[in-house]
PDB file of all heavy atoms in Angstrom:
ATOM      1  N   ASN U   5    -122.566   5.621  81.191  1.00 42.00           N
ATOM      2  CA  ASN U   5    -121.875   4.726  82.096  1.00 42.00           C
ATOM      3  C   ASN U   5    -122.534   3.344  82.046  1.00 42.00           C
ATOM      4  O   ASN U   5    -123.421   3.042  82.812  1.00 42.00           O
ATOM      5  CB  ASN U   5    -121.909   5.293  83.527  1.00 42.00           C
ATOM      6  CG  ASN U   5    -121.129   4.418  84.489  1.00 42.00           C
ATOM      7  OD1 ASN U   5    -120.353   3.563  84.079  1.00 42.00           O
ATOM      8  ND2 ASN U   5    -121.338   4.642  85.774  1.00 42.00           N
ATOM      9  N   TYR U  12    -117.620  -5.744  75.768  1.00 92.00           N
ATOM     10  CA  TYR U  12    -117.934  -7.161  75.980  1.00 92.00           C
ATOM     11  C   TYR U  12    -118.781  -7.702  74.821  1.00 92.00           C
ATOM     12  O   TYR U  12    -118.502  -8.780  74.295  1.00 92.00           O
ATOM     13  CB  TYR U  12    -118.653  -7.348  77.317  1.00 92.00           C
ATOM     14  CG  TYR U  12    -118.952  -8.781  77.644  1.00 92.00           C
ATOM     15  CD1 TYR U  12    -117.961  -9.608  78.167  1.00 92.00           C
ATOM     16  CD2 TYR U  12    -120.211  -9.318  77.429  1.00 92.00           C
ATOM     17  CE1 TYR U  12    -118.223 -10.930  78.470  1.00 92.00           C
ATOM     18  CE2 TYR U  12    -120.491 -10.641  77.727  1.00 92.00           C
ATOM     19  CZ  TYR U  12    -119.486 -11.448  78.245  1.00 92.00           C
ATOM     20  OH  TYR U  12    -119.758 -12.769  78.523  1.00 92.00           O
ATOM     21  N   LEU U  13    -119.802  -6.943  74.430  1.00 95.00           N
ATOM     22  CA  LEU U  13    -120.652  -7.370  73.311  1.00 95.00           C
ATOM     23  C   LEU U  13    -119.840  -7.512  72.026  1.00 95.00           C
ATOM     24  O   LEU U  13    -120.009  -8.480  71.285  1.00 95.00           O
ATOM     25  CB  LEU U  13    -121.777  -6.367  73.078  1.00 95.00           C
ATOM     26  CG  LEU U  13    -123.057  -6.597  73.846  1.00 95.00           C
ATOM     27  CD1 LEU U  13    -124.017  -5.438  73.626  1.00 95.00           C
ATOM     28  CD2 LEU U  13    -123.710  -7.903  73.470  1.00 95.00           C
ATOM     29  N   PRO U  36    -127.604   0.486  63.306  1.00 96.00           N
ATOM     30  CA  PRO U  36    -127.072   1.669  64.004  1.00 96.00           C
ATOM     31  C   PRO U  36    -127.247   1.582  65.530  1.00 96.00           C
ATOM     32  O   PRO U  36    -126.371   2.012  66.282  1.00 96.00           O
ATOM     33  CB  PRO U  36    -127.886   2.832  63.434  1.00 96.00           C
ATOM     34  CG  PRO U  36    -128.425   2.343  62.133  1.00 96.00           C
ATOM     35  CD  PRO U  36    -128.589   0.861  62.289  1.00 96.00           C
ATOM     36  N   ALA U 126    -116.148 -19.962 117.993  1.00 77.00           N
ATOM     37  CA  ALA U 126    -116.623 -20.147 119.351  1.00 77.00           C
ATOM     38  C   ALA U 126    -115.636 -20.939 120.204  1.00 77.00           C
ATOM     39  O   ALA U 126    -115.738 -20.935 121.429  1.00 77.00           O
ATOM     40  CB  ALA U 126    -117.983 -20.859 119.349  1.00 77.00           C
TER      41      ALA U 126
END
Side-chain angles (χ1 to χ4, degrees):
N5 183 15
Y12 183 80
L13 271 174

